[in-house]
Amino acid sequence: MNDMVTITIDGKIISARSGENLLEVARQNNILIPSLCYHRKLTPTGACRLCITKIKGMSGLVAACTVTVSDGMEVTAFDQELEDTRRYLLDYLLSEHNEASDLSYEDEFKALVTRYGLDDPATRQFPSLWQSLGYPIDDSSPVLTYDASKCIKCFRCIKACDEVQGKNVLSFTNRGITSYVIGGFGVWGESECDGCGECIQLCPTGAIVEKPNKDILQTARADKRVKTLCPYCGVGCQIELVVKNNRIVRVNGVEGIKPNDGRLCVKGRFGCEFVGSRDRLTRPLIKRNGQFVEAGWDEALDLVAAKFNAIKEKFGNDALAGYSSAKCTNEDNYIFQKFIRTAFGTNNVDYCTRLCHASTVTAMLGSLGDGAGSNSIEDYETADCILVIGNNIIETHPVTATFVKRGVVNGAKLIIIDPKWTPLVKYADVWLQPRLGTDVALLNGLMHIIISENLVDKEFIKNRVEGGMQAFEKLNELVSNYTPETVSDITGIAPEKIQSAAGMYAEAGRSLIATGMGISQQVTGTHTVFSLINMCLITGQIGKVGAGINPPRGQNNVQGASDVGCSPLIYPGYIPVTDDANRKKVAAIWQISSEALSGDIGLTTVEIMQAAHTGKIKGMYIMGENPMLTDPNQNHTREALEQLEFLVVQDIFPTETTEFADIILPGAAFAEKNGTFVNSDRRVGRVRKAVDPPGAARQDWKIIWEIAGRMGFPINPYQDESEIFDEIAAVTPIMAGISYDRIEKEGIQWPCPTKDHPGTSTLFQDKFNTPSGRAILNPVDYVPQNEKTSADYPFLLNTGRILYQFHSCTISRRNKALTDFANQSYALMHPEDAMKLDFENGERVKILSRQGEINTILTVSEEVLPGELFMPFHYSESPVNRLTRDELDPYSKIAPFKLTACRVIKLKNED
Ligand code: SF4
Ligand code: SF4
Ligand code: SF4
Ligand code: FES
């Protein structure tokens, strides 16, 4: 408590931490000094002067927001002189301000005007001038409008964009009273603004307001505000849904709590319009004579149960399989896997994690005993070195990227490993651009340098690695072949760059790795992650705050769906299905005989589709997934789905996959449910219902529960989702201490084994989760890929995401704001290749692989290497998975979405 100081404010004695901001200390003690330019998340500006105070020993009036407290400080916050001055300052600001409000925003300025009795112009001493100043309105952005006549020049928007989001888009133009905010060099719409809306959220006057739904909030205030979690990526941002007439009209970031502390990206803020889309599925649909016709729930559910039972009886339990969903809650997913294991009687249950991070999880489980991210998002702000590999993190996990950028501002070195340019390269100290598929060689090369330069942490290896220095020597022997020159030949990266990155990573006090699908979606995915972990272990860069390895998850609940057992290999809590004791424990909680649970490992996602293709799988239940777009080798997927005897798809929209269904069941969207998601930090957070589902759509877990009962395998009746979560906690040791009441305000990071455990922000601090408690080195050699270019297929195609769309676009494309930003497939090609082939930017082209062909638009760009192409995988009209292969990483069974040999030809007008 040495850093505590005592101060007085208006005679009140207050304890505070030395160095705390005086305005904040006053607020915490309910002394509400007025302020406008100050915001907790920003450096103080001292522009509005409303927070003036008198501080004994200091001359003049002192802005409280610019002062830090020190012991013995005596502060006067309120007296007649201070209040008169504040009133005068507000009066002055009002003269330049257009007060007209459409009530569509929170107006801090108006609240102060009322507090100081200045609502009536007759009470003011300054005349209104703003109309004579000719302030402009900038309406050029797809998502916001700036009205300079409402701007009080407080700098909050500029600092929000710079300091919180790290984007530096805004500045002032003109001088004095006529100055106003501009985006980029002139207007928002032509600037680098990506629509995150941080400036909107922090503007205190409504000078910057959201465009979508502005008209609805004009007439009346919202009906309710509901805190829940973002439905897009695995950052798991806390959002507040503002609801009017059962419609989401606004999304705010929730300030002051983890993981995002109010920050959002464009998808979180402007991407929830889809919930109210007219395209939603609202009634069960049964396919009759090739056409879908509406049906009642009883008819549809009876038919589903009868068909699944018939397949079981005729072909056995393992002829059935299910895909669960990373978009659904833990409660939905838990009930889904319980259903597959009890009613179907098989472990054939999997979901999209197999398509994104299965290799990461396999390697992390093998080396560290745990497949989840080892650290917390806030660690990026304090790490000394950040290595981002195979992740275009500004577009895939935009809020995590804001923490990375703040880390760089705080002095962290940033290393990027990516074959394609990403926007984060602008912030990097070194960018290593390996040829596609050569990551293992590069990582072995980095280790070669680390070892040669004696940057190894021997104590860590001796104490925390299985086999100690002996195991290290085996790795050393292998990586000794990877000299910088050899690695340069394989990867195309200059030896000096490899050298420089190795030193940065190994010598930093704490180095943190963010991985991505660039390395995981390869046939060598597991090996690449093994190599990365080897590097963490020999340098001791894991097991402490700010050091470790983190695979940011692609979807909102990828982590949770694994945690609650949607896997062919494990029960909830990562307990192998093959172990008798585990089976007995799970069966006891589920109140069934352990004999009823299969002890055989089930099929993974791609294996399920392959088995459907060969006729082994006859019936499938797909909840909230769209394998027609997301699985590799689309033609193969189509044939597999066509072969099925019976397919049920439960979703919120018609998709490319529902077309193949025999029965479609309408589920509920995230904003229509209660439950939980788990983010990439292992944080279990609350999802809350804000609006009712449309038509007859139902909660997903209730639909599954109904089918189970009708198949003759009733699952316990649950009063509500909290009871399901309590059962999850009982089965899942890592969540045993978590319950809804504990995560009411903020989520808890697992492992949380007991009710009084605070949760775990950093894994492996004392031991690893392997049986010995020590991590395992897994030396791996670089093996060239089987997929080769040839005269017919001279390019290697890489695929990935963009900021404004999400996965197969099922939800993201149903938001006008997002499609206004980006709505068009493209393929990037290096200018040298374009010149050789006589292609022009913007030209329509056909891309062909050994698997299939698609049309798209060519974009000539230096973002890719010569000989390589890049395409976003979102767009159904150019489905890149028609091109990709279903060869699998032998360990994790992930498919190599990132590397496909292709050729590009010009499209003729008639194509
Ligand atoms: S919306 Fe985001 S990126 Fe655009 S100006 Fe505002 S803070 Fe900056
Ligand atoms: S737009 Fe809003 S936040 Fe920005 S300077 Fe003006 S009043 Fe302040
Ligand atoms: S970063 Fe991810 S979780 Fe956060 S708002 Fe954006 S999409 Fe949602
Ligand atoms: S809030 Fe302190 S000067 Fe504006």
Side-chain angles (χ1 to χ4, degrees):
M1 301 291 278
N2 289 345
D3 64 344
M4 297 306 284
V5 297
T6 302
I7 66 167
T8 60
I9 304 179
D10 291 341
K12 185 175 178 182
I13 299 171
I14 289 168
S15 261
R17 267 193 305 279
S18 175
E20 262 191 289
N21 180 284
L22 174 58
L23 186 60
E24 282 294 333
V25 171
R27 280 183 185 169
Q28 286 153 19
N29 287 277
N30 220 17
I31 300 167
L32 303 179
I33 301 172
S35 69
L36 279 175
C37 68
Y38 176 79
H39 191 279
R40 172 187 63 79
K41 293 197 287 192
L42 310 174
T43 55
T45 306
C48 76
R49 309 293 299 165
L50 285 171
C51 67
I52 43 169
T53 56
K54 295 173 184 171
I55 301 178
K56 197 171 171 188
M58 291 191 190
S59 58
L61 302 180
V62 183
C65 69
T66 62
V67 175
T68 54
V69 294
S70 56
D71 202 33
M73 189 178 257
E74 288 178 37
V75 181
T76 303
F78 290 96
D79 67 12
Q80 197 56 49
E81 187 187 7
L82 288 167
E83 286 291 85
D84 286 348
T85 309
R86 286 171 186 143
R87 191 170 194 278
Y88 175 90
L89 290 166
L90 272 174
D91 196 342
Y92 192 78
L93 280 175
L94 268 167
S95 71
E96 301 166 21
H97 187 76
N98 170 6
E99 293 166 72
S101 168
D102 59 11
L103 299 181
S104 70
Y105 49 88
E106 309 296 331
D107 197 338
E108 291 176 44
F109 183 55
K110 168 77 175 161
L112 282 180
V113 167
T114 303
R115 176 170 160 184
Y116 282 86
L118 289 165
D119 281 319
D120 182 354
T123 61
R124 305 172 191 168
Q125 51 177 306
F126 297 108
S128 180
L129 291 177
W130 69 268
Q131 275 163 312
S132 63
L133 296 171
Y135 285 128
I137 291 178
D138 183 345
D139 202 28
S140 59
S141 157
V143 290
L144 61 83
T145 303
Y146 169 68
D147 180 349
S149 70
K150 289 193 169 81
C151 178
I152 57 164
K153 294 137 193 171
C154 71
F155 282 83
R156 268 165 64 163
C157 55
I158 294 174
K159 290 193 168 188
C161 190
D162 293 359
E163 296 177 6
V164 180
Q165 292 276 341
K167 293 172 186 160
N168 312 319
V169 171
L170 305 178
S171 59
F172 273 114
T173 191
N174 285 5
R175 290 186 165 260
I177 196 168
T178 61
S179 65
Y180 58 91
V181 177
I182 53 165
F185 296 108
V187 290
W188 246 274
E190 290 167 16
S191 73
E192 289 189 16
C193 169
D194 66 9
C196 71
E198 189 78 38
C199 55
I200 305 169
Q201 182 151 322
L202 267 50
C203 175
T205 67
I208 310 179
V209 289
E210 296 186 6
K211 270 187 183 169
N213 298 314
K214 201 162 170 281
D215 51 329
I216 301 172
L217 277 184
Q218 268 177 354
T219 46
R221 291 282 184 188
D223 295 337
K224 59 179 165 179
R225 291 160 181 269
V226 178
K227 290 195 176 60
T228 187
L229 298 174
C230 174
Y232 286 95
C233 86
V235 181
C237 293
Q238 292 257 4
I239 57 176
E240 178 192 63
L241 299 179
V242 181
V243 176
K244 181 79 190 161
N245 297 334
N246 200 41
R247 180 170 158 192
I248 299 164
V249 291
R250 175 153 304 174
V251 181
N252 299 315
V254 181
E255 295 284 346
I257 53 175
K258 292 176 180 174
N260 50 317
D261 191 10
R263 305 169 204 195
L264 295 180
C265 76
V266 64
K267 289 195 289 291
R269 194 177 297 278
F270 295 108
C272 292
E273 184 190 345
F274 74 89
V275 174
S277 163
R278 290 209 181 99
D279 302 342
R280 286 285 301 272
L281 292 165
T282 58
R283 304 256 179 281
L285 300 170
I286 298 177
K287 197 181 264 170
R288 297 193 205 280
N289 302 322
Q291 299 294 319
F292 285 111
V293 290
E294 287 190 357
W297 273 107
D298 281 331
E299 184 189 6
L301 293 170
D302 283 342
L303 192 54
V304 169
K307 290 277 189 185
F308 281 148
N309 268 340
I311 290 174
K312 253 177 88 167
E313 209 166 294
K314 192 165 167 196
F315 301 103
N317 298 358
D318 290 334
L320 292 169
Y323 275 7
S324 72
S325 173
K327 298 239 74 62
C328 289
T329 61
N330 291 321
E331 292 71 6
D332 294 330
N333 278 297
Y334 175 79
I335 296 297
F336 190 85
Q337 60 85 38
K338 187 173 175 179
F339 167 84
I340 298 287
R341 295 193 152 105
T342 55
F344 280 7
T346 175
N347 288 314
N348 291 340
V349 56
D350 207 1
Y351 70 111
C352 70
T353 191
R354 197 69 46 197
L355 304 173
C356 53
H357 268 306
S359 51
T360 319
V361 172
T362 304
M364 288 178 75
L365 279 170
S367 294
L368 310 172
D370 211 312
S374 59
N375 297 69
S376 303
I377 185 172
E378 61 267 25
D379 283 13
Y380 292 105
E381 273 194 26
T382 55
D384 301 302
C385 175
I386 303 165
L387 164 56
V388 180
I389 176 165
N391 191 341
N392 178 3
I393 204 163
I394 285 185
E395 303 204 53
T396 57
H397 303 87
V399 168
T400 302
T402 67
F403 285 85
V404 173
K405 287 186 247 175
R406 282 172 69 98
V408 172
V409 170
N410 292 338
K413 298 282 182 202
L414 178 62
I415 305 165
I416 311 266
I417 302 180
D418 208 303
K420 177 185 169 294
W421 181 90
T422 71
L424 197 65
V425 167
K426 283 190 275 186
Y427 303 79
D429 292 277
V430 56
W431 171 31
L432 306 180
Q433 192 179 16
R435 293 186 185 111
L436 279 172
T438 62
D439 305 292
V440 173
L442 174 59
L443 292 165
N444 283 348
L446 289 169
M447 281 186 276
H448 174 96
I449 294 164
I450 288 168
I451 295 170
S452 335
E453 298 197 353
N454 205 17
L455 301 176
V456 168
D457 186 340
K458 289 191 179 141
E459 281 312 298
F460 187 91
I461 297 170
K462 281 180 200 158
N463 296 324
R464 309 270 328 251
V465 173
E466 214 163 284
M469 291 308 288
Q470 228 175 332
F472 168 75
E473 281 311 327
K474 277 198 187 143
L475 175 73
N476 186 13
E477 203 180 313
L478 183 136
V479 300
S480 64
N481 301 321
Y482 291 83
T483 61
E485 294 68 30
T486 307
V487 172
S488 180
D489 284 346
I490 298 171
T491 62
I493 303 169
E496 316 79 71
K497 278 194 166 183
I498 306 172
Q499 191 102 19
S500 146
M504 272 179 211
Y505 177 81
E507 287 180 304
R510 291 160 310 147
S511 288
L512 194 56
I513 297 175
T515 73
M517 295 196 292
I519 59 168
S520 63
Q521 290 182 330
Q522 306 267 5
V523 280
T524 52
T526 306
H527 276 187
T528 308
V529 182
F530 272 143
S531 272
L532 258 184
I533 297 171
N534 292 343
M535 190 167 78
C536 290
L537 294 174
I538 63 168
T539 50
Q541 294 287 17
I542 191 163
K544 50 192 175 185
V545 176
I549 177 165
N550 298 285
R553 302 302 168 124
Q555 298 205 55
N556 51 331
N557 201 31
V558 180
Q559 183 65 51
S562 279
D563 296 343
V564 302
C566 289
S567 160
L569 311 164
I570 48 161
Y571 292 126
Y574 301 94
I575 306 169
V577 296
T578 45
D579 184 301
D580 276 350
N582 296 337
R583 215 160 40 249
K584 283 190 182 127
K585 181 192 155 191
V586 171
I589 295 170
W590 290 356
Q591 298 173 12
I592 56 172
S593 153
S594 64
E595 306 296 314
L597 292 176
S598 167
D600 298 329
I601 286 173
L603 299 176
T604 61
T605 302
V606 179
E607 288 173 329
I608 288 172
M609 215 43 92
Q610 285 170 344
H613 199 260
T614 59
K616 186 170 167 249
I617 295 285
K618 301 285 187 192
M620 269 187 83
Y621 184 2
I622 298 177
M623 173 175 78
E625 292 239 333
N626 187 9
M628 262 306 289
L629 274 198
T630 56
D631 278 21
N633 195 348
Q634 193 187 59
N635 288 333
H636 185 273
T637 306
R638 176 191 306 279
E639 286 161 16
L641 292 176
E642 281 169 351
Q643 295 248 15
L644 288 170
E645 288 199 3
F646 187 59
L647 173 63
V648 176
V649 182
Q650 185 167 308
D651 213 313
I652 61 171
F653 287 111
T655 67
E656 290 71 15
T657 303
T658 56
E659 285 170 30
F660 295 85
D662 296 285
I663 297 187
I664 303 173
L665 302 174
F670 84 105
E672 297 153 1
K673 316 179 152 171
N674 287 308
T676 51
F677 294 151
V678 187
N679 80 347
S680 304
D681 298 357
R682 298 165 277 106
R683 189 179 296 282
V684 183
R686 273 304 311 276
V687 175
R688 295 183 182 85
K689 183 176 171 190
V691 292
D692 295 325
R698 285 187 180 176
Q699 303 297 323
D700 290 280
W701 69 266
K702 286 188 178 164
I703 302 172
I704 307 161
W705 183 84
E706 284 275 358
I707 299 170
R710 286 162 204 252
M711 286 181 71
F713 295 88
I715 295 174
N716 314 358
Y718 303 95
Q719 293 300 314
D720 58 26
E721 293 79 6
S722 76
E723 282 193 8
I724 304 176
F725 192 86
D726 289 343
E727 187 175 307
I728 293 172
V731 185
T732 312
I734 51 176
M735 294 184 189
I738 304 177
S739 53
Y740 276 19
D741 56 327
R742 287 197 69 195
I743 52 174
E744 196 47 46
K745 179 164 180 245
E746 193 172 61
I748 293 179
Q749 289 168 282
W750 64 253
C752 175
T754 56
K755 294 282 176 213
D756 56 357
H757 191 286
T760 308
S761 59
T762 308
L763 293 181
F764 317 130
Q765 298 212 56
D766 305 317
K767 64 183 181 67
F768 292 96
N769 285 349
T770 55
S772 67
R774 287 165 175 252
I776 299 164
L777 285 171
N778 287 285
V780 282
D781 248 325
Y782 162 69
V783 180
Q785 305 269 337
N786 290 333
E787 178 79 346
K788 302 265 191 279
T789 53
S790 64
D792 282 345
Y793 301 100
F795 287 96
L796 286 178
L797 171 71
N798 184 5
T799 65
R801 279 189 252 172
I802 61 165
L803 173 65
Y804 301 103
Q805 295 296 344
F806 191 74
H807 287 242
S808 59
C809 287
T810 307
I811 60 173
S812 60
R813 234 174 178 180
R814 289 182 165 98
N815 302 280
K816 183 175 179 307
L818 300 183
T819 51
D820 280 351
F821 274 108
N823 201 17
Q824 166 85 63
S825 160
Y826 59 86
L828 299 183
M829 177 185 274
H830 193 274
E832 277 176 25
D833 292 325
M835 204 186 306
K836 262 190 244 156
L837 295 167
D838 192 25
F839 283 131
E840 282 179 22
N841 194 37
E843 186 153 12
R844 291 174 64 236
V845 291
K846 186 185 285 294
I847 306 207
L848 306 93
S849 78
R850 296 176 178 110
Q851 287 65 242
E853 56 185 61
I854 56 174
N855 298 345
T856 188
I857 306 288
L858 192 83
T859 300
V860 178
S861 164
E862 289 186 347
E863 289 184 16
V864 290
L865 285 166
E868 296 184 2
L869 305 169
F870 172 86
M871 281 189 76
F873 58 58
H874 307 293
Y875 300 106
S876 56
E877 62 276 21
S878 302
V880 288
N881 286 330
R882 210 174 272 169
L883 306 175
T884 52
R885 299 167 294 137
D886 53 4
E887 180 189 355
L888 297 181
D889 170 19
Y891 308 95
S892 64
K893 311 291 170 71
I894 200 167
F897 295 93
K898 301 296 182 199
L899 194 146
T900 311
C902 287
R903 85 166 165 277
V904 188
I905 58 171
K906 290 185 189 231
L907 270 176
K908 301 192 188 86
N909 281 342
E910 59 274 18
D911 288 325

